[in-house]
Amino acid sequence: MNNRTKGILLGVIVGFAWGLDSTLMGKINVPPLVSAFFHDSFAFIWIALTLLFSSQLKGVFELLKTKKGKATAVAALVGAPVGMSAYLLAIKYATAPYASSISVIYPGIGALLSYFLLKERLTKRAVLGIFISLLGSFMLGFKPTGDIPETFGTGILFALLAVLGWASEGVIIGFAMKHIKDEDHIKAIPQQFLCLRYFISMIIYGFIVVPLSGGCSIAFEVIINGTVFKFGGIAILGAITYLCWYKAVDLIGAAMGTALNSTAALWTIIFSIVLFGAPINLHLIIWGLVIVTGVFIFAIEPKKR
C-alpha cells in the first residue's frame, strides 16, 4: 500500500470516527458544557498516553515556554471551549446531523478569515467551493424538514458559532506559524501541539467553564453514576480523529485531508439513521452532500501539468 492510499484510508477513518463521535455525544443526556469537559479531558488523556509510550510527552509542556506553544494555547481557547462547547450545544438544540453538516464549512470560513486578516490568496476554485458550502448550509437552516426540535434555530446559531471558533483557531495558528520566525529550531511534532490544545481545554473547562456554569455537581454525578466511562470511550474516537487526520495530512496534504474530514457530516447522518432509527430526511441528505461537495471543490486543487 503506497502513501497516497494510506493517507486516503486514514482520511476516511477521520470522517467515520468524528461522525460516530458526534452521533454518540448527542445521545448522552448531560449538559453540553459538562460533556465538553469530559470529552476533551479524555481526549487529552488518550493522546498524552500515546506520547508517553513514545517518550514525547515531556515536550508537550516544554512548548508552553515557546511563542508557538503560547499561540497554540490562545488558539485552544477559541477552538476548544468556544468551538467545542458551541458544537455540542448545536447537537443538543438542532440534532447531530444538522450540527455536523454545518460545522464542516469551518475550513472555508477559515480561508476567508485568512484572506482578510492574513492577506492569503484565494483561487477562483476555492471561492466557488466556499460559496457552494455556504449555500448548502443556508439551505439546511433556512428550510429544515422532518422531525426537528423547536430549538432548531438556536442550534443553528450555535453551529455557526462553532464554525467561527474552529476557523479562528486555524487562523491564529496560521498567523503564529507564518510570523514567528525565530523558533524554526523547535522540533515539535503535530501530536504534541494537539496534546497541548486538549490540555489547555481541560484546564479551562475544569477550573472556569464548568464551575461558572454551575456544572460541578453534575460533573460529580457523571462520575458517580458511571456515565464518565461513556465519555472515556467516545473520546477515543475524538483522539483517533485528530491523530489520523494529522497522519493523513502528512501523507496526502492538508487539502485532501480536510476534504475527507468533511465526510463526517454524511457519516453522522448515516449513524443517526442506522444506530438510532432517525427518519431518512432527503432534504438533509441532499444539502449535506452539497456542503461536502463544496468542501472538496475548495480544498482540492487540480494538479498542474
Side-chain angles (χ1 to χ4, degrees), residues 96-160:
Y98 282 100
S100 180
S101 294
I102 290 178
S103 71
V104 298
I105 70 171
Y106 80 88
I109 300 302
L112 288 177
L113 291 176
S114 296
Y115 173 79
F116 289 110
L117 299 178
L118 304 183
K119 308 303 179 183
E120 293 185 357
R121 187 179 65 89
L122 276 178
T123 65
K124 292 181 180 179
R125 181 185 178 89
V127 172
L128 174 62
I130 293 171
F131 172 78
I132 291 174
S133 293
L134 291 176
L135 173 64
S137 297
F138 174 77
M139 291 305 297
L140 271 182
F142 178 72
K143 191 180 178 182
T145 59
D147 185 19
I148 62 170
E150 295 180 356
T151 56
F152 179 81
T154 302
I156 294 302
L157 291 177
F158 276 119
L160 293 175

Side-chain angles (χ1 to χ4, degrees), residues 70-79 114 118 165 167-178:
K70 291 174 183 176
T72 299
V74 172
L77 296 178
V78 293
S114 296
L118 304 183
S168 299
E169 178 183 17
V171 171
I172 293 171
I173 292 295
F175 177 84
M177 298 306 170
K178 182 177 182 179

